[in-house]
Amino acid sequence: MTTSIRHIAKLAGTSVSSVSRVLNNSGYASPELRDRVEAAIRTLNYTPSKGARMLRGAPSRMIGLMLPSIEVPFFGILAHAIEQELFQQGYQTLICSTAENMDHEVRYISMLLAQRVDGVIVASAFGSTEHFGVLRDAHIPIIAIDRELSGIADDAVMADHEEGGRLMARHLIDLGHRAIAIVGAPAHSQPIQLRLQGITAEMAKDGIAPAIVAMAEEHSFAETYRLARELLASRPEVTAIIGTTDVSAIAAIHAVQDRGFSVPGDYSVVGFDDLPEAAYVFPRLTTVAQPIRDVGRQAARLLEALIDEHQTGDESRQGAIVKVPVTLIERDSTGRVRN
């Protein structure tokens, strides 16, 4: 015989409506009542029908997470932090890796709508946001992460990328470097652009500008390694390299060493992210640390609050852009300018 909520109510000694409140996490249910209902559910091995719950308009307890690529170590760590935080709060996460492809983003948006997700966390690869309008029009709470989503999401959680750029530049300038190259990817990324703004603004304080800015469209070790090799061959005056990410900086270290030079003896190299690999590469990478897991947890908690406001009809709160502080971690890949 198929178990129904009537059987649960009978075993728990309560009403069908009380069982429904516990199952749908809607309305008040005392801790004692919740314990009785959950014990009855376990005893009867009851699994609620997802389809039936969705037809009733109950929360799906599912969250969409849209990221440019989980192959990039930063986004893999970010996805894990968000998924774990949401799981602890009773949500399931649908992870959408868009491969920095607009068509993929559009198709994933349609899928998230069909799944009736309760909210979405988005790191879009593009400046254009029109295709996210269907989520906004469906009144689905949206949090932008690692970058802003202007016109779509009023709330965003991100590291202070511009300040991080300033920290990288200032560290090298204080070590006496003036011929500083920048290598990185992807060129269209909002966080990368903010880091570049910070770097150039800090260098301008000392009356200098980047010796060269070499940016690829694809964020990969191979692409940034190629760019680093090219700039080393064409710009012998360069004494320091800023990688806009740790992957870019590590690629630059390999390029320097493969050309028979040393880090930091011949070239200083600094990165951004503080991935675990930054402490494993030789020499260990000086980098700007952004608290990746903290950014993910804060975004998940902010989305949970937005969902609660949406479900209770209390949406008077103003949106907020949360910028998480960054710090410079000085290791072995930077040193005084060479003679």
Side-chain angles (χ1 to χ4, degrees), residues 151-227:
I152 300 297
D154 294 329
D155 297 89
V157 181
M158 57 198 294
D160 193 338
H161 297 291
E162 189 168 356
E163 175 61 17
R166 291 180 182 276
L167 290 175
M168 288 192 286
R170 178 49 52 191
H171 175 65
L172 293 174
I173 292 169
D174 287 347
L175 290 172
H177 295 278
R178 294 295 181 271
I180 301 170
I182 303 171
V183 61
H188 57 260
S189 166
Q190 184 187 122
I192 299 301
Q193 292 301 320
L194 289 172
R195 292 171 201 175
L196 288 173
Q197 289 176 25
I199 293 166
T200 54
E202 193 66 25
M203 292 177 70
K205 290 180 181 179
D206 287 64
I208 57 178
I212 184 173
V213 179
M215 302 295 290
E217 288 299 320
E218 176 187 335
H219 186 238
S220 70
F221 177 92
E223 272 298 292
T224 47
Y225 173 85
R226 179 185 62 81
L227 291 175

Side-chain angles (χ1 to χ4, degrees), residues 8 11-12 22 32-46:
I8 297 170
L11 183 59
V22 173
E32 186 270 336
L33 172 62
R34 188 175 294 275
D35 288 343
R36 292 204 326 263
V37 171
E38 290 176 350
I41 289 171
R42 289 192 296 271
T43 299
L44 296 171
N45 196 27
Y46 173 74

Side-chain angles (χ1 to χ4, degrees), residues 15 170 233 301 339:
S15 66
R170 178 49 52 191
R301 291 166 188 165
N339 291 329

Side-chain angles (χ1 to χ4, degrees), residues 135-328:
L135 293 174
R136 180 199 57 211
D137 295 342
H139 304 289
I140 295 174
I142 305 172
I143 297 288
I145 191 167
D146 191 46
R147 61 206 71 193
E148 297 181 41
L149 201 60
S150 180
I152 300 297
D154 294 329
D155 297 89
V157 181
M158 57 198 294
D160 193 338
H161 297 291
E162 189 168 356
E163 175 61 17
R166 291 180 182 276
L167 290 175
M168 288 192 286
R170 178 49 52 191
H171 175 65
L172 293 174
I173 292 169
D174 287 347
L175 290 172
H177 295 278
R178 294 295 181 271
I180 301 170
I182 303 171
V183 61
H188 57 260
S189 166
Q190 184 187 122
I192 299 301
Q193 292 301 320
L194 289 172
R195 292 171 201 175
L196 288 173
Q197 289 176 25
I199 293 166
T200 54
E202 193 66 25
M203 292 177 70
K205 290 180 181 179
D206 287 64
I208 57 178
I212 184 173
V213 179
M215 302 295 290
E217 288 299 320
E218 176 187 335
H219 186 238
S220 70
F221 177 92
E223 272 298 292
T224 47
Y225 173 85
R226 179 185 62 81
L227 291 175
R229 290 271 300 193
E230 290 177 357
L231 77 86
L232 289 169
S234 62
R235 303 302 293 266
E237 77 278 14
V238 167
T239 63
I241 301 172
I242 292 176
T244 58
T245 66
D246 281 353
V247 171
S248 300
I250 292 170
I253 288 175
H254 279 259
V256 169
Q257 293 172 339
D258 288 351
R259 284 182 57 82
F261 298 105
S262 70
V263 175
D266 296 304
Y267 296 91
S268 286
V269 180
V270 62
F272 192 111
D273 283 330
D274 196 29
L275 299 174
E277 292 83 355
Y280 304 153
V281 69
F282 182 79
R284 296 179 307 157
L285 181 65
T286 295
T287 185
V288 170
Q290 61 168 321
I292 304 172
R293 291 175 178 82
D294 188 39
V295 169
R297 286 190 290 264
Q298 287 200 45
R301 291 166 188 165
L302 183 54
L303 182 61
E304 292 162 20
L306 280 181
I307 291 170
D308 288 343
E309 292 171 5
H310 178 72
Q311 292 175 352
T312 59
D314 178 17
E315 301 183 41
S316 58
R317 184 188 60 83
Q318 296 296 311
I321 306 298
V322 179
K323 288 191 177 182
V324 182
V326 296
T327 55
L328 181 80

